[in-house]
Amino acid sequence: MQQIKILTIIGARPQIIKSAALSRAIKNKFADKILEIIVHTGQHYDDNMSDVFFEELEIPNPNYNLNVGSGTHGKQTSLMIEGIEEILLKEKPSCIILYGDTNSTLAGAIAASKIFIPVIHIEAGLRSFNKSMPEEINRIICDHVSTLLFSPTITGYNNLVKEGFRENNTSPYSNDNPKIYHCGDIMLDNSLFFSTKAEQKTTILKDNNLESNNFILATIHRNNNTDEPSRLNNLFNALNKIATKKKINIIIPLHPRTSKLLVQNLSSELYCQIKTNPFIKITPPVSYLEMIALEKNASLIMTDSGGVQKEAFFFNKPCIILRPETEWTELVTCGSAKLTDTDENRITEAFNHFAENNTLYFPNLFGDGKAAEFICEQIIENIK
Ligand code: UD1
Ligand code: UDP
């Protein structure tokens, strides 16, 4: 049997991480059937937002790097479309693999679908129902030009059905006759695979004087939180008060977007309080293994990240979601996460709730950690 040539687009941190699971499955089980070409758009480019993950998660080096870098949505996406199209025309893959909902996802979806290359969307069907999020636009567009759509959750799968995707259609599949799957979450594949190694190989807790089960891990990078001064001030005010009043350490590995906007958008008084608060430890972005070690040992996670919300759940940690809504609604329904937006009172109430109710139920919502293998099998069966 001839190998199927797939072309994977990565660009932002979470995509690089997710792609590790598929590359690992190909290497271990499907190397005779699938040949993977990797294209890095260069959307994320700092060492601690990109390079660190290749080595740590044993991701093959990209065959191409477009080095697009940062920019406005239009400029960044158009440079990516141009670069991806050129590579697709040269490589002539049987399909393109796209992850999630970033501008790199959108660019890949547009470039490939216009030249009749089937789109495979991993993390399909997620919706916030809030089109002021750039990610919501990206994911809707990507889903609606895809041929195979892999949804990690039942909610995501049902969203696709509600948008008109058919459930019982038969092959051959195309973007006019797309196939939707509920297959579990590829991020769980990685969390399970790297869980033990994360604690064996990292010293992040010791380095930051953190005691297991006695600190909060927080991440903030969502554009509506960083770019709106009132929201950013509310968030950091709440973190500052909880750290001081409850005398609990909060470690915040900060996304470069937030680092830049913290200086610009926090009041000088709050900025000074945050910087001098002995309970608040702001660090540069940490590696994946360090992040897993922090998640496994935190008593509580506060985040506006999509991926970190889920990882909190994978490691049985309560989570405060610093957003008005979430695509991962199951987390809230089962009670392991609370939506607080940037409201100080709601954040404090949620903190108190989780401190007082430490028995939580974490049902199996994200599959068995074998999503990547399932996706490979479906590609082999359905992409010619
Ligand atoms: C992007 C995704 C978001 C995802 C996040 C993951 C879009 C529209 N958004 O948001 O869905 O949750 O990645 O982290 O695609 N920067 C650096 N160094 C880097 C990368 C970024 O300094 O290596 C700074 C730049 O100032 C840049 C800003 O961060 O302008 C934002 O980066 P960008 O990739 O545009 O969006 P993210 O906020 O990272
Ligand atoms: N992550 C990491 N280091 C950090 C922060 C996050 O390795 O300092 C990992 C995290 O464990 C998860 C992924 O990055 O696997 C989530 O990416 P991010 O929060 O940037 O984006 P989102 O998931 O919101 O799109």
Side-chain angles (χ1 to χ4, degrees), residues 202-243:
T202 62
T203 53
I204 186 98
L205 268 74
K206 201 161 146 245
D207 297 346
N208 288 281
N209 290 322
L210 297 170
E211 197 186 312
S212 186
N213 283 314
N214 193 21
F215 68 91
I216 296 172
L217 167 67
T219 76
I220 295 165
H221 76 273
R222 202 57 59 199
N223 66 324
N224 68 333
N225 283 342
T226 58
D227 300 11
E228 288 181 34
S230 64
R231 292 176 62 85
L232 196 67
N233 277 278
N234 286 349
L235 275 176
F236 275 89
N237 192 32
L239 293 178
N240 191 39
K241 282 197 182 154
I242 288 177

Side-chain angles (χ1 to χ4, degrees), residues 11 38 61 70 234 237 277 284 318 321 332 339 346 367:
I38 300 177
N61 281 332
S70 305
N234 286 349
N237 192 32
N277 189 326
I321 305 172
V332 179
L339 275 170
R346 285 168 69 191

Side-chain angles (χ1 to χ4, degrees), residues 115-160:
I115 54 174
F116 315 113
I117 292 177
V119 172
I120 315 282
H121 190 200
I122 299 178
E123 224 174 62
L126 280 309
R127 297 288 181 267
S128 62
F129 302 99
N130 172 2
K131 290 206 187 80
S132 69
M133 282 183 83
E135 293 84 358
E136 183 77 348
I137 313 239
N138 295 346
R139 50 172 94 103
I140 291 174
I141 293 174
C142 184
D143 279 344
H144 283 265
V145 295
S146 290
T147 290
L148 303 184
L149 297 92
F150 293 96
S151 178
T153 59
I154 277 286
T155 304
Y157 179 90
N158 288 339
N159 287 338
L160 292 171

Side-chain angles (χ1 to χ4, degrees), residues 43-46 70 102-103 135 221-222 255-257 260:
Q43 178 169 350
H44 287 173
Y45 44 85
D46 291 345
S70 305
T102 72
N103 287 347
E135 293 84 358
H221 76 273
R222 202 57 59 199
H255 190 290
R257 170 186 206 108
K260 286 171 194 167

Side-chain angles (χ1 to χ4, degrees), residues 286-299:
V286 296
S287 79
Y288 179 72
L289 292 184
E290 288 173 330
M291 191 63 182
I292 295 289
L294 289 173
E295 289 169 347
K296 284 184 77 175
N297 287 283
S299 47

Side-chain angles (χ1 to χ4, degrees), residues 39-268:
V39 178
H40 192 328
T41 62
Q43 178 169 350
H44 287 173
Y45 44 85
D46 291 345
D47 282 355
N48 59 21
M49 294 295 286
S50 174
D51 287 7
V52 63
F53 303 113
F54 286 89
E55 201 179 312
E56 205 174 59
L57 287 92
E58 294 175 39
I59 304 166
N61 281 332
N63 302 77
Y64 300 89
N65 193 326
L66 298 173
N67 290 312
V68 162
S70 305
T72 60
H73 287 279
K75 187 162 180 202
Q76 190 182 52
T77 311
S78 61
L79 285 171
M80 290 177 192
I81 294 174
E82 197 180 327
I84 294 170
E85 183 185 60
E86 207 173 295
I87 297 168
L88 289 173
L89 291 170
K90 181 174 157 220
E91 291 287 347
K92 299 186 178 45
S94 299
C95 63
I96 190 168
I97 310 288
L98 302 174
Y99 292 94
D101 51 22
T102 72
N103 287 347
S104 298
T105 317
L106 175 65
I110 294 174
S113 59
K114 290 289 182 90
I115 54 174
F116 315 113
I117 292 177
V119 172
I120 315 282
H121 190 200
I122 299 178
E123 224 174 62
L126 280 309
R127 297 288 181 267
S128 62
F129 302 99
N130 172 2
K131 290 206 187 80
S132 69
M133 282 183 83
E135 293 84 358
E136 183 77 348
I137 313 239
N138 295 346
R139 50 172 94 103
I140 291 174
I141 293 174
C142 184
D143 279 344
H144 283 265
V145 295
S146 290
T147 290
L148 303 184
L149 297 92
F150 293 96
S151 178
T153 59
I154 277 286
T155 304
Y157 179 90
N158 288 339
N159 287 338
L160 292 171
V161 174
K162 281 184 209 142
E163 287 175 22
F165 286 84
R166 287 183 296 149
E167 289 189 90
N168 298 313
N169 53 337
T170 51
S171 67
Y173 301 117
S174 67
N175 50 5
D176 283 321
N177 181 36
K179 173 70 180 164
I180 57 172
Y181 301 91
H182 168 223
C183 71
D185 199 307
I186 201 160
M187 289 187 71
L188 179 60
D189 296 23
N190 279 332
S191 290
L192 295 178
F193 189 80
F194 289 106
S195 170
T196 309
K197 195 175 175 189
E199 284 181 309
Q200 284 168 351
K201 299 266 171 185
T202 62
T203 53
I204 186 98
L205 268 74
K206 201 161 146 245
D207 297 346
N208 288 281
N209 290 322
L210 297 170
E211 197 186 312
S212 186
N213 283 314
N214 193 21
F215 68 91
I216 296 172
L217 167 67
T219 76
I220 295 165
H221 76 273
R222 202 57 59 199
N223 66 324
N224 68 333
N225 283 342
T226 58
D227 300 11
E228 288 181 34
S230 64
R231 292 176 62 85
L232 196 67
N233 277 278
N234 286 349
L235 275 176
F236 275 89
N237 192 32
L239 293 178
N240 191 39
K241 282 197 182 154
I242 288 177
T244 309
K245 281 194 187 155
K246 310 285 176 186
K247 297 195 184 339
I248 183 159
N249 283 315
I250 306 185
I251 182 162
I252 317 174
L254 214 53
H255 190 290
R257 170 186 206 108
T258 322
S259 302
K260 286 171 194 167
L261 287 159
L262 213 55
V263 186
Q264 205 175 306
N265 287 344
L266 274 202
S267 74
S268 48

